[in-house]
Amino acid sequence: HVQLVESGGGSVQAGGSLRLSCAASGLRFSSSCMAWFRQTPGKEREGVAALDSDGSATYVDSAKGRFTISLDNTKKAVYLQMNSLKPDDTAMYFCAADFRGDSWSRPSNYRYWGQGTQVTVS
């Protein structure tokens, strides 16, 4: 049984930072592509960052230079360090795992999802 549990969301002022965490269990962690998505009401889920099994990271343009995705194999956790936050970053953030497909930013290409953690930037 695979479980992804996000934490670390909250409210922060513009320019601030947050570090999101995603704890994974029941997953072959070292071989799974992990990703962060975000979603606001009425909009499609957007890929924010992904980390391939070989350690290659990919980011949506709006996150480049501000966000960093990282992974701790020992703790089976994936992180999203978010700096210089903007009001446009306000969203529910989701952790995703087990990528199958062509595009890292397509939600349907991920088999497992967490419940999300809310980030609010004012």
Side-chain angles (χ1 to χ4, degrees):
H1 174 66
V2 175
Q3 191 172 19
L4 303 176
V5 179
E6 302 96 333
S7 61
S11 296
V12 65
Q13 290 189 339
S17 299
L18 283 173
R19 187 192 192 210
L20 305 184
S21 300
C22 173
S25 60
L27 185 70
R28 195 169 182 177
F29 196 68
S30 60
S31 62
S32 180
C33 173
M34 305 293 294
W36 286 96
F37 283 75
R38 63 187 177 189
Q39 189 171 24
T40 54
K43 292 189 177 181
E44 293 185 357
R45 196 165 289 192
E46 175 190 44
V48 177
L51 194 61
D52 207 341
S53 55
D54 64 2
S56 300
T58 308
Y59 300 92
V60 67
D61 285 347
S62 61
K64 289 179 181 177
R66 300 188 300 126
F67 293 5
T68 302
I69 187 171
S70 62
L71 184 147
D72 187 328
N73 272 310
T74 302
K75 297 182 179 179
K76 291 192 175 181
V78 61
Y79 306 99
L80 186 67
Q81 177 67 43
M82 304 187 296
N83 299 327
S84 302
L85 283 162
K86 306 174 182 179
D88 283 350
D89 296 318
T90 295
M92 182 73 79
Y93 283 71
F94 298 89
C95 175
D98 198 5
F99 170 78
R100 296 284 191 271
D102 50 358
S103 171
W104 73 270
S105 61
R106 185 170 298 166
S108 60
N109 286 342
Y110 292 85
R111 185 176 180 184
Y112 302 111
W113 292 86
Q115 293 301 306
T117 184
Q118 178 67 38
V119 171
T120 303
V121 185
S122 59

